[in-house]
């Protein structure tokens, strides 16, 4: 934070409220059912992603570059769900809507870091599929442990730095319009709009983050699948190969749609969407993909299913084939 102080002047004093009030989900009928749903989603997310990570760690055959990316996806989903859902339930189910300023900044940091990393994980998985289907002869040269670790490491560092900058800029704002955050968590956009001094830097980092962490991954994924479709239709001779390629990609594409569409619609048409609909859309887009990942993407792969059967057999369970 010293860099911000130096740039803005050492004698500047910023007004930070002792607490914020999280007011999301207010006025929504039958919202208690939604809290039960969030709890169910969280439990399934934890169990599913923990199981995926355990299988990958226990089976040496799955320690390939592909499953390094899958492991990171499961870890990010587990971390993101745990950072968000328990706190959201604590806020609204137990009516702990007051959150201290520092706790709010911490809550914001973990939520945005994990949400950003979830989007960038989809880029890693798209790259894997792009190379596997369109450049199969060069797969082992292009998809290596070193490259995947480097790519994932870069994305983690990038998301952490961007989120830290966003939080740092928020601490340079004097919050005096209100202490009520009309969202279900410590929402960056809602907080900087409460400032009385110039919030342009926070606005810029918010817009830049949307481009780099939402639009760039989505554009890359769409271009990747356009090229995959072109390759499948022009270079694969048999219908069986084409069906296999499309089947491999369908789960990931459905997950991309589930993750990106609610967020992009919400941010693009923010001014025209009722606040309660915005809150529900954003909350669903952050909790549903972590729950579906183990089912849509991971558990549909033959290697994972075979590994689970092998691990169960080795631990004394009999798997009957019908």
């Amino acid at each position: 934070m010293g860099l911000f102080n130096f740039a803005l002047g050492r004698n500047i004093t910023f007004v930070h409220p002792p607490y914020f009030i999280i007011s999301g989900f207010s006025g929504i009928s039958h919202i208690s059912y939604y809290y039960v749903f969030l709890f169910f989603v969280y439990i399934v997310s934890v169990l599913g992603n923990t199981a995926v990570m355990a299988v990958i760690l226990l089976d040496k055959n799955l320690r390939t570059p592909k499953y390094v990316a899958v492991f990171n996806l499961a870890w990010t989903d587990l971390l993101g769900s745990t950072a968000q859902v328990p706190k959201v339930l604590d806020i609204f189910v137990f009516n702990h809507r007051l959150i201290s300023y520092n706790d709010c900044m911490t809550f914001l940091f973990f939520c945005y870091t994990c949400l950003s990393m979830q989007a960038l994980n989809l880029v890693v998985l798209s790259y894997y599929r792009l190379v596997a289907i369109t450049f199969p002869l060069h797969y082992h040269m292009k998809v290596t442990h070193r490259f995947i670790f480097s790519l994932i490491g870069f994305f983690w560092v990038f998301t952490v730095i961007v989120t830290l900058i966003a939080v740092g800029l928020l601490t340079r704002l004097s919050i005096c319009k209100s202490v009520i955050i009309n969202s279900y968590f410590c929402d960056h956009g809602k907080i900087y709009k409460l400032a009385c001094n110039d919030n342009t830097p926070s606005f810029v980092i918010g817009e830049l983050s949307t481009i780099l962490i939402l639009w760039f991954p989505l554009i890359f994924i769409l271009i990747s699948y356009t090229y995959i479709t072109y390759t499948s239709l022009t270079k694969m001779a048999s219908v069986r190969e084409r069906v296999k390629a499309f089947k491999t990609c369908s789960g990931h594409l459905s997950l991309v749609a589930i993750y990106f569409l609610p967020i992009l619609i919400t941010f693009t048409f923010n001014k025209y969407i009722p606040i309660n609909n915005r809150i529900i859309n954003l909350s669903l887009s952050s909790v549903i993909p972590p729950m579906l990942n183990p089912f849509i993407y991971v558990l549909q792969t033959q290697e994972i299913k075979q590994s689970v059967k092998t691990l169960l057999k080795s631990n004394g369970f009999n798997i009957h084939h019908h």
Side-chain angles (χ1 to χ4, degrees), residues 226-297:
T226 300
Y227 194 64
I228 287 172
T229 302
Y230 172 78
T231 301
S232 301
L233 295 175
T234 59
K235 296 183 180 180
M236 292 183 179
S238 68
V239 175
R240 184 177 180 181
E241 287 179 321
R242 295 174 185 173
V243 171
K244 183 179 179 181
F246 286 121
K247 186 178 179 181
T248 302
C249 298
S250 61
H252 183 240
L253 276 175
S254 61
L255 191 60
V256 168
I258 291 169
Y259 179 84
F260 281 102
L261 283 179
I263 296 178
L264 291 175
I265 290 173
T266 300
F267 280 101
T268 303
F269 302 101
N270 184 41
K271 295 180 180 179
Y272 310 101
I273 298 177
I275 185 63
N276 285 339
N277 291 353
R278 178 184 185 275
I279 291 172
I280 293 292
N281 283 348
L282 288 178
S283 62
L284 286 174
S285 65
S286 61
V287 299
I288 294 297
M291 180 188 71
L292 294 181
N293 270 337
F295 301 100
I296 289 182
Y297 177 72

Side-chain angles (χ1 to χ4, degrees), residues 46-58:
V46 170
L47 294 177
N49 287 293
T50 300
V52 167
M53 290 190 295
V55 170
I56 294 173
L57 287 174
L58 292 171

Side-chain angles (χ1 to χ4, degrees), residues 24-57:
F25 298 132
S26 299
I28 302 177
S29 59
H30 308 296
I31 193 61
S32 57
Y33 295 108
Y34 187 64
Y35 300 149
V36 174
F37 172 73
L38 285 181
F39 178 74
F40 170 77
V41 167
Y42 175 65
I43 295 299
V44 174
S45 298
V46 170
L47 294 177
N49 287 293
T50 300
V52 167
M53 290 190 295
V55 170
I56 294 173
L57 287 174

Side-chain angles (χ1 to χ4, degrees), residues 126-145:
S126 295
Y127 172 80
Y128 152 74
R129 282 187 169 82
L130 177 65
V131 176
I133 294 175
T134 60
F135 306 103
L137 299 179
H138 301 282
Y139 174 77
H140 293 291
M141 290 186 295
K142 293 180 179 293
V143 183
T144 63
H145 280 93

Side-chain angles (χ1 to χ4, degrees), residues 80-136:
S81 296
T82 302
Q84 185 175 134
V85 179
K87 185 61 178 178
V88 169
L89 292 177
D90 177 60
I91 290 170
F92 295 104
V93 175
F94 299 102
N95 203 28
H96 295 158
R97 300 191 180 221
L98 266 67
I99 181 171
S100 72
Y101 181 88
N102 289 335
D103 286 348
C104 190
M105 294 298 107
T106 303
F107 189 24
L108 183 152
F109 171 79
F110 281 105
C111 286
Y112 274 95
T113 298
C114 293
L115 286 172
S116 300
M117 197 60 206
Q118 286 171 5
L120 294 174
N121 270 324
L122 297 176
V123 173
V124 178
L125 296 172
S126 295
Y127 172 80
Y128 152 74
R129 282 187 169 82
L130 177 65
V131 176
I133 294 175
T134 60
F135 306 103

